[in-house]
Structures are given as C-alpha cells and as structure tokens.
Amino acid sequence: MKLTVILPTYNEAGNIVKLIKAILKALKPLGLQTQVIVVDDNSPDGTAAIVKPLTKKLAVKLFVRKKRGLATAILYGLQRTHADIFVIMDTDFNHQPKDIPRLLTPIIKDKADLVIGSRYVAGGGMHASEAGTIQFLGSKWGNRLVNRIILGLPVHESLSGFIAFKKEILKSTDLTSIFLGYGEYCIRLLYRAHQAGFRLAEVPVVYGQRRYGQSKSRLLKMMIDYLITAVKLRLNL
Ligand SMILES: Nc1nc2c(ncn2[C@@H]2O[C@H](COP(=O)(O)OP(=O)(O)O)[C@@H](O)[C@H]2O)c(=O)[nH]1
Ligand SMILES: [Mg+2]
C-alpha cells in the first residue's frame, strides 16, 4: 500500500526537517511505501530551501507555490501524487508524528475510510500550556455545536486537520469546493464523506506545543468561518 503525507508549510523553517524525519521514523514499522509531500507557499523564512536537500536523500517531494492559502496548498499536493492512503497534518508539531500509526490503524484494518485525530474524546486534549485556554474551550464548544447539533456527524472533532483517509474519498466529491479558505476544509471533507456513505472514525490525540515560529490562525475569524461553513453545508448552499 502507498501512503502519502501532505505537509502544507508557511514559515516553518525551524520545524520542517525535524518533523519530516520524525514522520518517516514513526511510519517505518508499518512497512508502507511512504512519501512526504511538502507544499510551501514561498515562505519568506526559507522553508523551501531547507527542505530541498532532503528531496535528494529521502522520499520527500517539494512544491513551491507563488500564492498563499492553507486549503489550496493541501489540494495542490493531493493532486500531484498517487497513493492509496493520505495523511494531512500541521507542520509545527501540534500534530505529533508518533500518533500517525494510530490514525492509520482503522484504515489499514478496513474499519474506517476516514479517521480524524480528536482532542475531544477520552485520552485526547492539548498541551498543558493551551488546555483550558479560550482557544481550547472555544474550539471544544464550537465542535460540539457543529458536529452534534448542526451537522450530526458521528465524531467529536471536525477541525483538527489531522486526518487520514482512503483515496476513494477524493474521487467521490468535487475537491475544489472543499479545499477553500483556511482550516474549514476539514469539516467540509468530513461532512461530504459522511454524506457519501464513507465510514468516519476518530482517535484521541493530544496536541503538542508548536516548537518554532508562530501560529497563522486567527481564532475569532476561524470560529466564525467554521460556523458559517457548517450552516452552509447543512443548508446545502
Ligand atoms: N502552504 C501553506 N501552509 C500554511 C498556510 N497557512 C498556514 N499553513 C500551515 O498550516 C498549518 C497550520 O497553521 P498554524 O499556524 O500551525 O495554525 P494553528 O495550528 O491553528 O495555530 C501549519 O503547518 C502552517 O505552516 C499557507 O498560507 N500556505
Ligand atoms: Mg499549528
């Protein structure tokens, strides 16, 4: 089986090499044919130049785009590779490489078609520096409202962006209408996959602390976009 890990980067020079090495190490025991794809949006901190030497030594491919956008960067990577299973994750150690095998297990055992790493199930959470903060509580209650009340999804998290899924999911839906904007692509992908009859599952993950650099997220804007996205999906708009 072929596995591709998609890594969107913007100013992740301090994290990316360590992250790629940790991902390949964590995945080695699974014995899958693994490739890492980095899609960098011309980061001013030179992320791409730091990744380039790795492409000669490891199963790493690098794409550099001239425009910005998290969701379109992910789609760009997805459209330039063939794999049986895809993993999407942050490149700042919020999503921890050691958790990837657990994310893949339900797919490898054919118990699920899409698995999301969830902070809001027993065993999941956030690094102590962020647990209990407004970010954590806002996203916890936002997830409850969206997943249970608005969309009726069978998971407790639809925003983490730490997901693994089978290639069939990509064929079932119009990808350009899913991969738009920032992190909201995640909820669109889950909802469309659920609607199409694919099996969703979640595994607990604890977010690690961003090691280097700064977050690109704006919490309030993200929460509003997330709610609007959910309502639009529900109303079929
Ligand atoms: N290619 C690309 N990646 C981005 C962009 N914005 C954010 N990212 C990446 O998306 C991931 C999530 O961003 P991050 O700042 O960590 O958000 P947070 O985890 O919500 O604080 C990280 O891997 C970023 O490097 C962008 O415009 N283009
Ligand atoms: Mg992050």
Side-chain angles (χ1 to χ4, degrees), residues 158-230:
S158 57
L159 197 58
S160 71
F162 192 12
I163 49 176
F165 55 88
K166 292 184 184 170
K167 67 174 179 204
E168 284 75 16
I169 289 196
L170 296 179
K171 290 184 198 141
S172 72
T173 182
D174 169 35
L175 298 178
T176 48
S177 68
I178 288 182
F179 289 91
L180 295 169
Y182 196 68
E184 326 86 71
Y185 78 84
C186 190
I187 178 176
R188 288 195 204 98
L189 187 66
L190 262 65
Y191 186 66
R192 293 269 179 253
H194 182 57
Q195 269 191 323
F198 288 106
R199 297 162 298 168
L200 268 48
E202 58 190 335
V203 297
V205 296
V206 176
Y207 269 28
Q209 207 175 16
R210 170 179 271 283
R211 291 214 188 151
Y212 299 92
Q214 278 171 1
S215 168
K216 268 68 72 180
S217 289
R218 285 177 291 155
L219 179 71
L220 190 61
K221 180 176 182 331
M222 217 165 80
M223 295 316 291
I224 292 168
D225 288 347
Y226 180 51
L227 283 176
I228 292 173
T229 302

Side-chain angles (χ1 to χ4, degrees), residues 17-27 93 97-98 100:
V17 172
K18 287 189 188 79
L19 185 84
I20 291 172
K21 289 187 174 163
I23 289 171
L24 292 174
K25 191 174 164 196
L27 287 171
F93 289 93
K98 70 173 174 58
I100 306 176

Side-chain angles (χ1 to χ4, degrees), residues 1-236:
M1 255 195 301
K2 280 190 188 172
L3 169 70
T4 292
V5 182
I6 307 275
L7 301 178
T9 55
Y10 194 76
N11 284 346
E12 301 290 4
N15 295 308
I16 192 68
V17 172
K18 287 189 188 79
L19 185 84
I20 291 172
K21 289 187 174 163
I23 289 171
L24 292 174
K25 191 174 164 196
L27 287 171
K28 208 167 180 185
L30 300 187
L32 302 170
Q33 198 181 323
T34 302
Q35 183 184 43
V36 171
I37 294 205
V38 178
V39 185
D40 183 65
D41 287 353
N42 212 12
S43 301
D45 75 350
T47 299
I50 287 171
V51 172
K52 206 162 184 189
L54 291 188
T55 63
K56 302 201 172 75
K57 298 187 277 192
L58 301 168
V60 178
K61 245 188 195 175
L62 168 69
F63 295 104
V64 183
R65 307 193 311 161
K66 289 276 179 279
K67 56 178 176 180
R68 285 253 349 236
L70 172 58
T72 56
I74 292 168
L75 180 59
Y76 192 94
L78 289 170
Q79 289 174 329
R80 277 158 188 81
T81 181
H82 295 285
D84 303 300
I85 308 173
F86 294 92
V87 168
I88 301 174
M89 63 190 286
D90 280 12
T91 54
D92 57 353
F93 289 93
N94 279 161
H95 302 152
Q96 304 194 59
K98 70 173 174 58
D99 291 333
I100 306 176
R102 276 192 309 112
L103 213 63
L104 290 171
T105 304
I107 293 180
I108 291 170
K109 290 188 173 166
D110 198 24
K111 297 248 189 303
D113 304 304
L114 185 155
V115 182
I116 185 158
S118 174
R119 290 166 286 182
Y120 309 117
V121 283
M126 268 165 128
H127 184 269
S129 64
E130 285 178 67
T133 61
I134 184 92
Q135 277 87 344
F136 182 73
L137 295 172
S139 98
K140 180 175 176 172
W141 287 98
N143 263 286
R144 275 204 182 172
L145 177 65
V146 165
N147 302 327
R148 292 200 199 162
I149 297 166
I150 305 180
L151 294 179
L153 287 172
V155 288
H156 297 78
E157 160 104 57
S158 57
L159 197 58
S160 71
F162 192 12
I163 49 176
F165 55 88
K166 292 184 184 170
K167 67 174 179 204
E168 284 75 16
I169 289 196
L170 296 179
K171 290 184 198 141
S172 72
T173 182
D174 169 35
L175 298 178
T176 48
S177 68
I178 288 182
F179 289 91
L180 295 169
Y182 196 68
E184 326 86 71
Y185 78 84
C186 190
I187 178 176
R188 288 195 204 98
L189 187 66
L190 262 65
Y191 186 66
R192 293 269 179 253
H194 182 57
Q195 269 191 323
F198 288 106
R199 297 162 298 168
L200 268 48
E202 58 190 335
V203 297
V205 296
V206 176
Y207 269 28
Q209 207 175 16
R210 170 179 271 283
R211 291 214 188 151
Y212 299 92
Q214 278 171 1
S215 168
K216 268 68 72 180
S217 289
R218 285 177 291 155
L219 179 71
L220 190 61
K221 180 176 182 331
M222 217 165 80
M223 295 316 291
I224 292 168
D225 288 347
Y226 180 51
L227 283 176
I228 292 173
T229 302
V231 170
K232 278 184 164 174
L233 281 170
R234 180 61 200 265
L235 298 176
N236 227 345

